[in-house]
Amino acid sequence: MSAGPPPLPGTSGSNTTIKNVVIGILTTVTASAIIYFLGFGGDHSDIKEIKIKKEATTEAWNSLMFYENQFRETGTRMTCQGDTASMEANILNEYDKIIKNISNIEKVEHVDNRLISLIDRRIATLSGKRKASADYYTALETLGNVSEDDPRSKDLYHNFISKINILDTQDSSFIEGVSKELNKKYSSKFELPGPFIVRPEVLYGNWTVDRNKYLDLKKDNTFSFIMESVNYPGKWSLNDLNMQLNFDDGSSIVYTVNSGSQNFLMATDNTGNVHFFCR
C-alpha cells in the first residue's frame, strides 16, 4: 500500500497551532458580540444602572431640599404672624406634612442607599422635634393662664428651644457627608442650602421684634428702637453673629443671631432669652 502524499510546504504542525489560536480568538470575539447584543454586557448594564440611579437620586435629593425649605418658610411665616391661638395645631400639622412628604421619597425606586439613610435620619429628627413641640404645648397648658414673663413659662420655653436647637444641628455633618459622597459617585452637584451669613446690608431697615417692638437699623449705624410708643435711639454694631445696640442712655443689648434669612432672624439676648425679628 502506498503511503499518503507528503505534507505540502507551509502546512506544518506550527501552522496548525496558529490556525487553532485564530479560531479560538474568533470564537471568543463572536461570543462576546452575541452577549453584548443580547444585553448581557457587564460594562453596558453598569453604565445604564448608574444613569438610572443618578436620575432617581437627583430627583429625590431635590425633593428633600424642596420640602425642607418649604417647612422652614412656613415655620417662619407662622412665627412672624404670631397667631398663638392656632399655632400649636398649625405647627404640629406642618410636622405631619413634611414627615409624610419625605417618607414618600423612600418609595421611589433606584434611589441611592446613602440618601435613603439620610431620609431615615431626617424623619427621626423631625419626629423628635414634633414630639418636643407637642410636649411643650401640653406642659404650657398645664401652667394655666400665665404671662410670658412668668419664670415657669420662661424656663419651659428655654428648655424647649434648647431641645429644638440640639435636634436642628444633630444631622448637619451627616447631611454634608452624604452630599459629598453623592457628588463624588455621580459627578454631579447635590447642593445644600448655603449657610446664612449675617452681614450689615442684610440687617439694614425695619424689623418687628417679638411682634410688639420695632427696630430700624440705619446705614449710618444709628437705630431707633420703639417699645410701647416710646423711641429709644442709639448706635449699633455687628461683630460676627453678635449685633450690639448701644442706647443713648448708656445701656446696651447684645443679640446673638442663631438662624435666619433676609426677612427673619432668631436671636438670643445677653440673658439667654429668645427673640424673633421679622420684616
Side-chain angles (χ1 to χ4, degrees), residues 54-114:
K54 178 180 178 179
E55 290 175 353
T57 303
T58 300
E59 184 176 350
W61 177 272
N62 291 338
S63 295
L64 176 62
M65 294 299 108
F66 172 77
Y67 291 135
E68 296 266 13
N69 184 62
Q70 287 292 105
F71 180 73
R72 283 191 296 270
E73 289 185 359
T74 302
T76 298
R77 187 169 60 253
M78 286 192 296
T79 300
C80 291
Q81 288 175 346
D83 183 6
T84 54
S86 60
M87 186 171 289
E88 176 184 0
N90 288 340
I91 287 177
L92 297 182
N93 184 49
E94 288 302 318
Y95 275 118
D96 289 337
K97 285 197 292 188
I98 187 174
I99 290 170
K100 179 181 178 180
N101 286 336
I102 66 176
S103 295
N104 288 334
I105 301 175
E106 290 190 304
K107 301 174 185 177
V108 178
E109 293 183 348
H110 308 297
V111 176
D112 192 283
N113 287 336
R114 279 162 287 202

Side-chain angles (χ1 to χ4, degrees), residues 147-158:
S147 67
E148 292 182 358
D149 294 329
D150 186 291
R152 295 171 298 169
S153 176
K154 291 174 73 173
D155 287 345
L156 192 63
Y157 185 70
H158 289 157

Side-chain angles (χ1 to χ4, degrees), residues 155-167:
D155 287 345
L156 192 63
Y157 185 70
H158 289 157
N159 290 335
F160 166 63
I161 290 297
S162 177
K163 288 180 182 178
I164 292 296
N165 286 339
I166 291 171
L167 288 166

Side-chain angles (χ1 to χ4, degrees), residues 6-278:
L8 297 173
T11 59
S12 64
S14 61
N15 285 332
T16 301
T17 301
I18 293 173
K19 177 181 177 182
N20 291 336
V21 169
V22 171
I23 291 174
I25 291 173
L26 290 175
T27 302
T28 302
V29 171
T30 303
S32 298
I34 292 171
I35 290 172
Y36 178 82
F37 285 113
L38 287 177
F40 300 121
D43 291 342
H44 178 72
S45 61
D46 287 347
I47 292 172
K48 184 177 180 181
E49 182 180 352
I50 290 173
K51 182 180 179 182
I52 292 172
K53 286 181 71 71
K54 178 180 178 179
E55 290 175 353
T57 303
T58 300
E59 184 176 350
W61 177 272
N62 291 338
S63 295
L64 176 62
M65 294 299 108
F66 172 77
Y67 291 135
E68 296 266 13
N69 184 62
Q70 287 292 105
F71 180 73
R72 283 191 296 270
E73 289 185 359
T74 302
T76 298
R77 187 169 60 253
M78 286 192 296
T79 300
C80 291
Q81 288 175 346
D83 183 6
T84 54
S86 60
M87 186 171 289
E88 176 184 0
N90 288 340
I91 287 177
L92 297 182
N93 184 49
E94 288 302 318
Y95 275 118
D96 289 337
K97 285 197 292 188
I98 187 174
I99 290 170
K100 179 181 178 180
N101 286 336
I102 66 176
S103 295
N104 288 334
I105 301 175
E106 290 190 304
K107 301 174 185 177
V108 178
E109 293 183 348
H110 308 297
V111 176
D112 192 283
N113 287 336
R114 279 162 287 202
L115 183 51
I116 296 296
S117 297
L118 172 57
I119 291 170
D120 286 338
R121 287 186 64 131
R122 292 304 296 152
I123 292 172
T125 296
L126 289 164
S127 298
K129 290 175 68 175
R130 187 197 187 283
K131 183 179 185 305
S133 301
D135 290 346
Y136 165 70
Y137 283 113
T138 300
L140 187 62
E141 188 175 343
T142 62
L143 292 179
N145 189 20
V146 298
S147 67
E148 292 182 358
D149 294 329
D150 186 291
R152 295 171 298 169
S153 176
K154 291 174 73 173
D155 287 345
L156 192 63
Y157 185 70
H158 289 157
N159 290 335
F160 166 63
I161 290 297
S162 177
K163 288 180 182 178
I164 292 296
N165 286 339
I166 291 171
L167 288 166
D168 268 340
T169 57
Q170 70 180 10
D171 294 340
S172 298
S173 60
F174 191 79
I175 293 172
E176 186 175 351
V178 170
S179 172
K180 289 180 179 177
E181 286 298 312
L182 295 179
N183 288 341
K184 183 166 54 177
K185 179 173 181 178
Y186 298 108
S187 300
S188 186
K189 285 190 176 182
F190 291 83
E191 296 181 342
L192 294 166
F196 175 66
I197 300 173
V198 185
R199 301 184 306 273
E201 53 268 30
V202 173
L203 300 178
Y204 295 149
N206 295 302
W207 297 88
T208 299
V209 183
D210 300 329
R211 299 188 295 274
N212 57 14
K213 296 178 281 290
Y214 306 94
L215 176 64
D216 181 13
L217 298 173
K218 300 173 183 177
K219 294 182 180 180
D220 63 359
N221 287 101
T222 61
F223 70 83
S224 62
F225 189 91
I226 299 174
M227 183 172 61
E228 297 179 350
S229 301
V230 179
N231 182 26
Y232 300 90
K235 291 190 175 181
W236 69 279
S237 61
L238 179 66
N239 181 17
D240 195 16
L241 298 176
N242 300 313
M243 177 176 60
Q244 181 161 336
L245 305 183
N246 295 313
F247 295 92
D248 287 349
D249 65 3
S251 61
S252 65
I253 300 177
V254 176
Y255 293 106
T256 300
V257 179
N258 304 121
S259 62
S261 64
Q262 293 283 345
N263 299 311
F264 173 77
L265 301 174
M266 186 177 79
T268 52
D269 64 21
N270 318 51
T271 60
N273 291 318
V274 179
H275 300 274
F276 299 100
F277 295 69
C278 302

